[in-house]
Amino acid sequence: MNGGSGEPRSHSDTSVRPAVSGDERAIAALQWGAWRALFGGEELAAQGLSEERLRAGWESALSSPCPASAALVVALHGSSIVGFALAGPDDEAGAAGGPSGVVRGQAAPAGGPPGAVRGQAGAADGPPGAVRGQSGAAGGPPGAAPAQTGGVPAAVPTQIYELVVEPRFCRSGHGSRMLAAVADLVGGAMRVWIDARDEARQRFFSSAGFAPAGAGRAIGDGHTQHLWWARAE
């Protein structure tokens, strides 16, 4: 996936821009809707999660600049936020972690609610205690030895933690525009965990150049995810 200038991509009345303070309510509503659709309200409530708690986490996260190694963007339809995407260093491949303060981690990164499930690509990674798949070298499938160039370890790949579009605005190109914007901002190899039952998301990432990496993990109550990846061009 090609890097680029990081300028917002737009078409007609749709566009993508970096998330800013004030977007937290819309982002939290999108994330909560996606998590509820996958896990159900009871499982989330058992972890002490709520839309308001997510909103508070995002408010804290958006009060600080996004690190250069991460991307947090929103999709606009007219003036309304109808999607968001979050990506950062793949901590399962040895990175120190994603952007500080984002609401994504099982280990509750600063600014995120403790015990929060980690979301990715419109779904949550699952409750604490999930079995993680082992990640491999940057740009390669899980289990590969860390790649090196001239004795220097290759860059850590980027993981897409969230890519959510409001259901009534699906198939409007918002997901593709956000994914392209993330690639422009962070570049390099990219990875995403996809629920084994989510055929629509598998088709989306396949059309974007991703392919199964051969790793899987069990999460939550009977949920299975598979790792997909796209090599940097």
Side-chain angles (χ1 to χ4, degrees), residues 58-149:
W58 283 113
E59 182 177 17
S60 176
L62 291 170
S63 66
S64 301
C66 189
S69 59
L72 176 58
V73 300
V74 295
L76 301 178
H77 200 99
S79 60
S80 300
I81 294 176
V82 298
F84 83 100
L86 167 67
D90 186 348
D91 50 358
E92 292 177 353
S100 174
V102 299
V103 184
R104 70 167 184 85
Q106 294 171 336
V117 291
R118 177 188 303 168
Q120 55 83 25
D125 274 10
V131 178
R132 296 183 176 184
Q134 181 181 4
S135 297
Q148 294 192 358
T149 302

Side-chain angles (χ1 to χ4, degrees), residues 4 8 14 16 71-73 94 104-105 111 116-117 126 134 155 160 167 171 183-184 193 198 202 204 207-208:
T14 62
V16 175
L72 176 58
V73 300
R104 70 167 184 85
V117 291
Q134 181 181 4
I160 301 169
R171 304 189 67 82
D184 285 348
W193 289 95
D198 197 339
Q202 293 170 26
F204 170 76
S207 70

Side-chain angles (χ1 to χ4, degrees), residues 209-233:
F210 285 68
R217 62 184 179 185
I219 60 167
D221 184 13
H223 297 273
T224 300
Q225 290 183 332
H226 297 295
L227 183 66
W228 288 55
W229 69 291
R231 186 186 301 276
E233 294 183 358

Side-chain angles (χ1 to χ4, degrees), residues 15-19 23 26-31 72-77 80-86 162-167 169-170 174-175 178:
S15 61
V16 175
R17 64 163 172 78
D23 292 342
I27 292 175
L30 288 163
Q31 188 175 39
L72 176 58
V73 300
V74 295
L76 301 178
H77 200 99
S80 300
I81 294 176
V82 298
F84 83 100
L86 167 67
E162 294 277 8
L163 197 157
V164 180
V165 177
E166 186 179 337
F169 289 99
C170 287
H174 293 296
M178 288 193 293

